[in-house]
Amino acid sequence: MSEKKDTFQFRYSAKQQEEIQRIRAKYIPRQEDKMEQLRRLDQSATRKGSIVSLVIGVLGCLLLGVGMCCTMVWTQDWFIPGIVIGLLGILSVCLAYPLYIRITRKERQKLAPQILKLTEELSNRENQGG
């Protein structure tokens, strides 16, 4: 007769467990904690100003280039309009940063109550040992 041995075998693989957890995390609905929410709000305060100022700056650079092209290539008919176009481009580039500052300031004023509430909650939680 054959003797059957009942044994318990346990195999642990850290790599396999990490992969299981990564796959599992894809299917669990993500909950944003207060610190992540605070970071997201802080980043959103500057996002709108950055986008607007970049668009204005790039368009200003393009206008400056068109103005230079008009004054250097088509000097007969487009010299004076090229100077005006170039000056508009320079003005646009110069206004991009003040526009960024103004929009960012308004966004921060709008988001201030939410951010202050979150920072107060997080500070109280840290002070309580949390």
Side-chain angles (χ1 to χ4, degrees):
M1 296 200 141
S2 90
E3 204 173 302
K4 206 173 198 184
K5 294 183 180 181
D6 290 327
T7 59
F8 177 73
Q9 292 182 349
F10 178 74
R11 294 187 182 160
Y12 176 78
S13 170
K15 288 182 182 180
Q16 188 178 21
Q17 289 299 319
E18 286 177 23
E19 184 178 3
I20 290 170
Q21 292 303 322
R22 268 186 290 159
I23 292 171
R24 184 176 189 270
K26 291 178 187 177
Y27 296 95
I28 295 176
R30 184 167 175 198
Q31 294 178 351
E32 186 177 54
D33 69 347
K34 291 191 184 288
M35 193 62 196
E36 288 176 5
Q37 188 178 7
L38 182 64
R39 287 185 187 117
R40 183 181 49 80
L41 284 172
D42 185 44
Q43 289 174 351
S44 70
T46 59
R47 185 175 300 130
K48 185 177 177 183
S50 295
I51 291 170
V52 170
S53 65
L54 278 171
V55 168
I56 297 296
V58 167
L59 289 176
C61 287
L62 291 173
L63 277 175
L64 178 60
V66 168
M68 287 173 53
C69 185
C70 289
T71 59
M72 297 171 86
V73 176
W74 305 304
T75 56
Q76 303 293 51
D77 300 327
W78 286 91
F79 188 77
I80 300 297
I83 291 174
V84 173
I85 292 170
L87 288 174
L88 288 175
I90 292 171
L91 180 67
S92 296
V93 170
C94 290
L95 289 177
Y97 184 68
L99 190 60
Y100 165 79
I101 296 295
R102 186 171 186 195
I103 291 172
T104 301
R105 188 179 302 130
K106 284 185 178 183
E107 288 295 312
R108 284 185 177 150
Q109 287 174 353
K110 188 169 69 173
L111 293 173
Q114 290 175 308
I115 289 178
L116 292 175
K117 180 183 174 193
L118 278 172
T119 54
E120 187 175 316
E121 288 175 9
L122 288 169
S123 295
N124 288 339
R125 188 171 68 179
E126 286 295 319
N127 290 337
Q128 293 174 358

